[in-house]
Amino acid sequence: MGSASPTTGSATGSTYSAYLIRLTQSHSSFRRPELEALAIKAGVGLSFLSYDDNSPYCIVRISPKPPSDTTLVNDHDAVRSIVAQSILAKGVYELYAVAPTYEELHSQVRGLPAEIWQPFKHVSFKFLVDAFCGKRSIPEQREIIEGFSYLPLKGSISLKNPEEEFVVFEEWDLLTPEQHAALNIGTGFRVAQSLCNAENIAEQDATAGDIAAAALISDRKPKRIFFTRYIGPSQRNLIVKHDLKKRPYISTTSMDAELALITASLALAAPGKLFLDPFTGTGGFMIAAAELGAVVLGSDIDGRSFRGKGTGLTKGIGANLKRYKLTDRFGDCLTSDLTNTPFRLRGLDSSKSSRWLDGIICDPPYGIREGLKVLGRRLQDPDEVKADGRVIHEGPYYVDGVASHTLPDFIAPKRPYSFDAMLSDILDFATRTLVDCGRLAFWMPVANDSDEEFPVPIHPMLEIRHSCIQVFNKWSRRLLVYERIPGEVSDDLAEQIKGLKVSQAAGRKADELNQFRRMYFRGFHVEADSAVEKAGHSPEIQHG
Amino acid sequence: MKLLTVNFLTCAVKTCKTSSESYPLHFRDAQLEQNPQTFNPLFIRNILSRLDWSALTTTANELGLTAMLPDHNPADDMMVDSEGATEEEKNRAKDNVISEEVLKKLHTFLVDTAVIEGKLVCGNCGFEYPIKEGVGNFLLPPHLV
């Protein structure tokens, strides 16, 4: 190609074949995995030239180049199609120059080939200044924009409906502790003044402090400046559409819409695919995967959770599907237990059929707010108990000569289960149901600052692709994303897996079975925990 | 419960899984309903190779719907001579050979047709899983866990 057009990018690797993706500053550890997953889905190579969890600006390039027969004709469309499906990006921009100062920035922009501006010569346009961790007054913004007056843009300026939007992004350093303190002197003084306004001396001191603070703040300047042109939006607006506050049917443990959508996205939910949530609850993940195009199945040990108040689905998850017009992507909901699953398991059941799921996404119960239970009778008499905690009882129970489980109002008894055993059940289930390269994404809790490591569950047929973390006050939850390694589980491997299986925690009560639950309710005082156990007191009393 | 879903289900009792009698589960007193959903050819094409066709035929026979189902999996036609073919070529072959008419018919059978009331029965242990208002209950009593 003779003339390097900015829309097709350049093979010579000059700066303008790079793109700036404006990211949100929430859930920062999920942002890069999301873009990587979207690139895989689009079948495009995406390399990160600059990425930092503390910065909302990431610079990417399309490489390696997509194979020639793909429908994406150029870098421009490729990057646009990736960002168009992103939840954590705000938009994508063609990057013309990046520099630490305006002098350098302008010299770079002036050095660009004139053909770049050719398409924009006679179109309407506007300029924007967007500063992160900094502020620009209106006159300052005008000064920055007028600095670009040498560009050959002859079209009209349109603030409402421009054909092109040029954006100057400024990235400032995060405030230093001194600058934070300086800012606080100002606000702290105003509070103090309202409390005792007779203190003249204090006022003078504070004024001096204000001046010092102002000096500290005004010394700040951007560390990186980007000159860009807007080329496409993200689909961040989906989180408004799926806001739980406006969803007809939810419960206390529903995953927030943004994280549910990201979970589905990292598991590569897309049109034509089949997804399952085996702990579906009120169906938040089903809605998210359906929104991204997949056909969705759900199951839960408690059918009431997805049925809502009705006996069918219309008052439960059906109401949500209808609200979002996703009924066409609904597969089925079943009442079933993952540990005693009715789903076809490759290699375990008699059917020789292939694995059948493209993705599994779930937030398994941690045993805190919702019980962590599987089918089986809770133990009463220790003599009746098997080594693995199940009750020995031959045959069904009878009520007036009728087997109790055949009665219409029979409720299957459930028993507490260990979280580790549940995780290993999930991994085994995924290995036997996911197609090659199919993905499993699930959430698990971890304690912050814990001496005890919560190991990431592993399986020889599942490769960990991403591990993202959402931090709360005393605990965090981690989103783990696995990819099914192609191939069947050989008998040798099955033996190995048995060896790997987390040994069933001893005990019968929920607390004994679940380390995280135990720590949660003891307030994560790990060292105190063991000391207290010896003394036989509850830690809640000790720590008040 | 959609007929597609039934193809992915066996008996939940662990000792039944290995028995060839436990798959597919058999319908009893099934009440059918047609619930047309938007035609999704991409989805049907994607899952065809994952279906167990003989189980699907059994299900169709039991419900008297044999006429709705081709006698063999259309995806099998695509496996012939595809040894050296790339993924791309295979996909293109599928697009060409499985006609829209066949896909539509399969969509009607797999996705639009559901059992709203009835039972699914294991041919090995005889356990009956009830279906109420389209939702199957696969929970087991304690003596089968």
Side-chain angles (χ1 to χ4, degrees):
Chain A
M1 219 180 291
S3 70
S5 146
T7 51
T8 53
S10 156
T12 59
S14 59
T15 47
Y16 56 87
S17 61
Y19 298 90
L20 178 143
I21 300 177
R22 171 72 162 98
L23 301 162
T24 67
Q25 272 310 97
S26 60
H27 306 307
S28 54
S29 77
F30 294 75
R31 302 179 308 177
R32 189 170 169 160
E34 192 207 19
L35 292 173
E36 286 169 353
L38 292 172
I40 290 173
K41 217 154 65 166
V44 172
L46 184 72
S47 25
F48 289 81
L49 303 179
S50 141
Y51 176 87
D52 184 336
D53 266 355
N54 293 318
S55 169
Y57 307 118
C58 112
I59 302 174
V60 299
R61 168 175 291 170
I62 296 297
S63 97
K65 293 279 175 195
S68 54
D69 63 341
T70 64
T71 46
L72 296 166
V73 286
N74 56 40
D75 289 9
H76 216 68
D77 290 343
V79 73
R80 217 162 17 190
S81 79
I82 289 170
V83 175
Q85 294 192 57
S86 168
I87 306 292
L88 292 173
K90 287 182 168 174
V92 58
Y93 301 79
E94 186 173 26
L95 180 65
Y96 296 117
V98 49
T101 64
Y102 275 100
E103 293 76 58
E104 274 187 54
L105 188 80
H106 286 303
S107 93
Q108 278 186 31
V109 175
R110 283 175 192 274
L112 290 173
E115 302 94 81
I116 289 181
W117 316 113
Q118 196 59 41
F120 316 125
K121 246 182 175 168
H122 302 290
V123 302
S124 62
F125 69 94
K126 80 167 174 183
F127 267 74
L128 273 179
V129 179
D130 178 345
F132 176 74
C133 277
K135 244 184 189 166
R136 290 293 192 184
S137 64
I138 300 288
E140 279 176 321
Q141 288 186 26
R142 190 179 305 135
E143 196 186 321
I144 290 167
I145 292 168
E146 280 169 359
F148 289 91
S149 56
Y150 56 85
L151 288 177
L153 304 173
K154 309 262 188 280
S156 61
I157 294 166
S158 162
L159 294 184
K160 270 195 182 152
N161 250 328
E163 285 164 83
E164 298 293 344
E165 195 175 310
F166 295 90
V167 185
V168 181
F169 288 106
E170 289 185 346
E171 183 176 17
W172 297 45
D173 270 318
L174 294 170
L175 287 171
T176 62
E178 291 77 32
Q179 288 164 337
H180 257 298
L183 271 179
N184 286 338
I185 288 169
T187 46
F189 164 67
R190 278 186 286 277
V191 176
Q193 195 183 36
S194 64
L195 286 175
C196 81
N197 49 13
E199 296 274 356
N200 280 334
I201 301 160
E203 189 178 350
Q204 272 174 8
D205 281 355
T207 312
D210 268 349
I211 293 164
L216 258 179
I217 306 297
S218 67
D219 275 354
R220 298 182 70 225
K221 55 176 190 283
K223 61 173 177 183
R224 279 202 296 177
I225 308 158
F226 308 87
F227 181 52
T228 70
R229 181 176 62 91
Y230 177 76
I231 59 167
S234 71
Q235 58 175 358
R236 190 158 176 77
N237 56 343
L238 275 186
I239 67 176
V240 179
K241 174 181 172 186
H242 285 276
D243 187 354
L244 291 188
K245 287 176 200 150
K246 289 181 261 167
R247 187 171 287 186
Y249 179 63
I250 57 168
S251 81
T252 52
T253 52
S254 296
M255 174 74 62
D256 86 63
E258 181 173 10
L259 290 174
L261 285 161
I262 292 162
T263 308
S265 184
L266 290 189
L268 308 181
K273 292 191 178 183
L274 183 60
F275 266 59
L276 167 73
D277 177 358
F279 301 94
T280 199
T282 55
F285 284 127
M286 290 176 73
I287 296 286
E291 178 62 59
L292 301 183
V295 173
V296 290
L297 297 169
S299 73
D300 202 290
I301 195 167
D302 188 349
R304 290 171 303 181
S305 59
F306 54 78
R307 286 198 308 261
K309 281 192 171 148
T311 47
L313 296 172
T314 45
K315 285 190 177 158
I317 184 180
N320 291 346
L321 290 161
K322 204 171 152 191
R323 165 68 57 92
Y324 302 124
K325 298 189 172 61
L326 295 172
T327 315
D328 283 337
R329 313 236 172 95
F330 173 71
D332 259 311
C333 266
L334 310 179
T335 310
S336 75
D337 174 17
L338 183 81
T339 304
N340 298 277
T341 184
F343 286 117
R344 225 168 67 180
L345 299 173
R346 171 78 184 173
L348 272 192
D349 57 44
S350 58
S351 92
K352 298 282 174 285
S353 317
S354 45
R355 290 172 270 122
W356 52 281
L357 280 169
D358 292 289
I360 299 171
I361 47 177
C362 60
D363 186 19
Y366 315 145
I368 310 277
R369 286 186 293 178
E370 70 295 75
L372 171 46
K373 291 187 173 173
V374 297
L375 290 174
R377 190 170 296 279
R378 186 191 277 272
L379 326 170
Q380 306 293 339
D381 181 0
D383 295 339
E384 278 193 312
V385 176
K386 287 186 198 172
D388 67 352
R390 286 184 293 145
V391 178
I392 299 165
H393 182 92
E394 298 296 331
Y397 289 87
Y398 288 91
V399 179
D400 298 331
V402 182
S404 64
H405 67 268
T406 60
L407 296 171
D409 55 353
F410 176 74
I411 294 169
K414 293 158 193 103
R415 63 183 176 99
Y417 197 55
S418 128
F419 188 67
D420 289 342
M422 176 70 85
L423 291 180
S424 106
D425 290 349
I426 294 171
L427 262 51
D428 190 57
F429 179 83
T431 311
R432 297 180 184 284
T433 51
L434 284 179
V435 298
D436 289 350
C437 301
R439 284 195 174 192
L440 162 69
F442 67 88
W443 290 81
M444 69 176 279
V446 262
N448 297 344
D449 317 314
S450 162
D451 288 345
E452 295 178 71
E453 275 285 304
F454 279 82
V456 169
I458 54 164
H459 192 289
M461 298 307 285
L462 295 169
E463 186 189 350
I464 296 183
R465 296 301 299 259
H466 300 293
S467 168
C468 313
I469 195 153
Q470 182 190 23
V471 182
F472 301 114
N473 183 20
K474 289 195 171 163
W475 64 289
S476 308
R477 57 182 175 184
R478 210 177 267 280
L479 174 63
L480 298 174
V481 183
Y482 299 80
E483 192 167 296
R484 177 67 163 85
I485 296 166
E488 297 304 330
V489 180
S490 66
D491 290 347
D492 281 359
L493 199 55
E495 281 305 309
Q496 281 180 38
I497 296 164
K498 268 186 201 159
L500 276 174
K501 265 202 172 180
V502 188
S503 58
Q504 289 243 346
R508 290 181 269 153
K509 292 182 188 156
D511 250 13
E512 295 164 351
L513 288 166
N514 187 340
Q515 187 193 9
F516 180 74
R517 180 192 155 92
R518 195 164 61 239
M519 292 172 74
Y520 184 92
F521 284 116
R522 291 183 185 189
F524 296 103
H525 299 291
V526 182
E527 278 145 67
D529 197 50
S530 49
V532 166
E533 256 168 29
K534 275 179 209 152
H537 292 296
S538 112
E540 278 83 353
I541 295 166
Q542 196 177 46
H543 296 278
Chain B
M1 186 180 321
K2 294 181 165 52
L3 299 189
L4 170 69
T5 312
V6 178
N7 203 257
F8 298 134
L9 294 172
T10 68
C11 185
V13 177
K14 279 189 176 137
T15 48
C16 278
K17 294 254 180 212
T18 47
S19 160
S20 57
E21 299 298 312
S22 71
Y23 181 77
L25 297 171
H26 305 286
F27 277 115
R28 189 172 293 168
D29 309 328
Q31 195 181 324
L32 287 167
E33 196 181 67
Q34 283 284 331
N35 239 327
Q37 297 194 347
T38 310
F39 179 47
N40 191 342
L42 192 63
F43 176 65
I44 299 295
R45 238 180 248 131
N46 186 33
I47 56 148
L48 265 189
S49 63
R50 306 173 195 178
L51 296 172
D52 183 311
W53 207 261
S54 81
L56 209 59
T57 312
T58 306
T59 303
N61 284 341
E62 284 171 7
L63 297 173
L65 301 173
T66 321
M68 292 173 76
L69 202 63
D71 57 2
H72 69 286
N73 193 335
D76 291 345
D77 299 340
M78 313 319 310
M79 306 314 264
V80 193
D81 301 327
S82 61
E83 282 289 274
T86 67
E87 199 57 36
E88 202 70 27
E89 283 165 339
K90 280 184 203 167
N91 285 341
R92 214 170 292 143
K94 274 184 201 174
D95 290 357
N96 288 339
V97 177
I98 305 176
S99 70
E100 180 134 322
E101 190 192 346
V102 172
L103 290 173
K104 266 192 180 146
K105 219 168 138 182
L106 282 167
H107 191 273
T108 308
F109 181 81
L110 295 167
V111 180
D112 298 345
T113 314
V115 170
I116 51 160
E117 296 287 334
K119 286 167 189 155
L120 277 169
V121 185
C122 171
N124 190 50
C125 70
F127 193 83
E128 295 180 346
Y129 299 98
I131 301 168
K132 283 178 193 159
E133 296 196 40
V135 179
N137 182 343
F138 290 86
L139 298 186
L140 296 170
H143 70 280
L144 293 176
V145 175

